[in-house]
């Protein structure tokens, strides 16, 4: 029996949890701000743990557990491992969880220098113990589904839940941002020699940034089959400084781009 069919056969509402490790809470807020649709959804699910909005939270087992944030210290790792053991279907919710995102930038920086700048007292920091580097959650436990975005779009959450409740396996959106630009008839920013990363970035945001004349900075992480060398060449030909592109690639999904062979150190 697949994990997706369990609660349907048992005819009971799926037990859902929304948990968080190192992040900014923005991804959770996306879910809580859906309001009417969330209230409707609460008729179909049993939200048993959501520490940001609930006083009483149940421990697993969970049918679905959303995890926001990345693994930055031992406590994060221990919590994540526990939720994994307690959950049938674990979702990495947001780019911190899927790719490491902004909290992960420190792997490209002088660690001592950053910590000295942020903290007066560093005695509580335990980030060196485990894991060795700040990590997306798939580096530490098995992840069943990923939804990236900083923050992700509410429509992606609703689509996933709808499919889940219908016992249909959710499918990750894997088209570049450019597809949504074309659908919305947005003039391409590359024509104006702006530093848009859209052709190598997974969409799903409805081309949020290009729609307001801002270059895509890559918050959804790399598209699975993007022709990254070609995009980098195009940006170079447009006169975009290599250093700027490097910083943008480091910002949300640096380790993922490195795995794809992009030099960003
Ligand atoms: S992905 Fe973005 S919005 Fe979500 S927790 Fe991380 S920094 Fe915050
Ligand atoms: S503006 Fe950016 S995302 Fe939109 S079509 Fe051009 S390159 Fe692609
Ligand atoms: S356009 Fe790019 S940076 Fe903007 S929301 Fe979409 S993926 Fe993120």
């Amino acid at each position: 029996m697949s994990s997706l069919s369990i609660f349907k056969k048992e005819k009971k509402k799926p037990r859902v949890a929304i948990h968080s490790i190192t992040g900014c809470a923005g991804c959770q807020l996306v879910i809580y701000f859906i309001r009417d649709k969330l209230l409707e959804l609460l008729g179909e699910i049993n939200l048993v743990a959501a520490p940001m909005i609930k006083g009483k939270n149940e421990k697993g087992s969970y049918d679905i557990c959303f995890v926001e944030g990345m693994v930055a210290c031992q406590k994060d790792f221990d919590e994540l491992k526990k939720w994994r053991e307690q959950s049938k279907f674990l979702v990495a919710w947001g780019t911190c969880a899927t790719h490491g995102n902004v909290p992960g930038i420190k792997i490209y920086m002088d660690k001592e220098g950053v910590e000295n700048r942020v903290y007066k007292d560093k005695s509580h920091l335990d980030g060196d113990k485990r894991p060795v580097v700040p990590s997306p959650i798939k580096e530490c436990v098995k992840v069943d589904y990923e939804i990236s975005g900083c923050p992700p779009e509410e429509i992606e959450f609703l689509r996933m839940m709808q499919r889940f409740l219908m016992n249909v396996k959710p499918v990750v959106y894997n088209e570049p941002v450019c597809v949504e630009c074309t659908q919305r008839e947005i003039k391409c920013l590359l024509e104006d020699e702006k530093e848009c990363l859209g052709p190598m970035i997974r969409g799903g945001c409805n081309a949020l940034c290009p729609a307001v004349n801002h270059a895509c900075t890559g918050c959804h992480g790399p598209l699975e089959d993007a022709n990254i060398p070609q995009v980098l060449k195009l940006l170079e030909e447009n006169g975009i400084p290599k250093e700027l592109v490097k910083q943008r690639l480091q910002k949300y999904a640096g380790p993922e781009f490195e795995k794809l062979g992009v030099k960003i150190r």
Side-chain angles (χ1 to χ4, degrees):
M1 187 190 297
S2 85
S3 58
L4 287 172
S5 62
I6 285 171
F7 41 82
K8 187 119 183 180
K9 290 201 173 169
E10 291 175 1
K11 288 198 173 96
K12 62 181 186 188
K13 291 181 182 178
R15 290 167 57 84
V16 178
I18 301 169
H19 281 302
S20 174
I21 43 181
T22 296
C24 78
C27 292
Q28 291 179 83
L29 287 176
V30 166
I31 299 176
Y32 302 138
F33 283 173
I34 300 174
R35 293 182 195 159
D36 291 355
K37 286 177 199 142
L38 182 62
L39 286 175
E40 213 176 293
L41 189 64
L42 287 175
E44 305 287 329
I45 65 170
N46 195 0
L47 188 61
V48 292
M52 193 177 184
I53 56 164
K54 278 169 69 106
K56 280 189 182 169
N57 292 283
E58 294 179 32
K59 292 182 179 149
S61 66
Y62 307 130
D63 291 304
I64 315 173
C65 178
F66 289 87
V67 178
E68 170 203 77
M70 50 95 74
V71 183
C73 60
Q74 183 67 39
K75 184 166 170 283
D76 286 348
F77 180 75
D78 294 343
E79 296 264 78
L80 177 63
K81 203 161 161 279
K82 180 183 71 189
W83 298 327
R84 174 67 275 185
E85 284 161 8
Q86 293 171 339
S87 307
K88 291 174 190 159
F89 197 80
L90 190 109
V91 181
W93 175 237
T95 302
C96 285
T98 59
H99 295 97
N101 202 8
V102 179
I105 295 174
K106 79 174 191 180
I107 65 175
Y108 300 107
M109 303 171 91
D110 159 36
K111 180 175 173 294
E112 280 283 306
V114 171
E115 290 177 355
N116 287 338
R117 204 181 307 171
V118 177
Y119 301 105
K120 268 190 187 160
D121 175 9
K122 298 195 293 174
S123 56
H124 66 292
L125 297 180
D126 61 354
D128 277 343
K129 290 182 193 161
R130 174 78 178 94
V132 177
V133 293
S135 308
I137 66 176
K138 66 184 164 209
E139 300 290 334
C140 304
V141 296
K142 177 178 171 276
V143 170
D144 298 303
Y145 191 69
E146 290 193 340
I147 304 179
S148 60
C150 180
E153 296 302 305
E154 62 174 55
I155 188 71
E156 294 215 66
F157 170 77
L158 291 170
R159 245 189 244 134
M160 194 217 105
M161 288 305 290
Q162 191 184 34
R163 283 181 159 255
F164 207 93
L165 290 166
M166 290 165 66
N167 255 5
V168 178
K169 197 171 182 218
V171 181
V172 175
Y173 183 88
N174 193 39
E175 300 287 351
V177 180
C178 303
V179 167
E180 287 160 320
C181 266
T182 309
Q183 286 164 350
R184 295 187 64 182
E185 298 183 2
I186 296 166
K187 183 177 179 247
C188 181
L189 298 173
L190 291 179
E191 288 176 27
D192 296 334
E193 301 187 345
K194 292 205 174 160
E195 68 281 11
C196 192
L197 303 185
M200 58 179 164
I201 301 300
R202 191 187 77 84
C205 59
N206 207 16
L208 193 65
C209 303
V212 290
N213 207 27
H214 280 291
C216 170
T217 52
C219 86
H220 276 220
L223 185 72
E224 257 173 35
D225 52 356
N227 187 343
I228 296 176
Q230 189 58 37
V231 183
L232 294 176
K233 190 166 167 261
L234 190 63
L235 292 169
E236 197 178 343
E237 283 167 6
N238 265 1
I240 312 300
K242 274 187 178 171
E243 192 55 29
L244 176 69
V245 176
K246 197 174 89 177
Q247 282 170 359
R248 296 260 161 105
L249 297 181
Q250 285 176 350
K251 186 173 171 190
Y252 297 109
E256 204 73 17
F257 279 108
E258 286 190 291
K259 272 190 214 158
L260 295 169
V262 186
K263 288 196 172 58
I264 54 172
R265 286 183 193 257

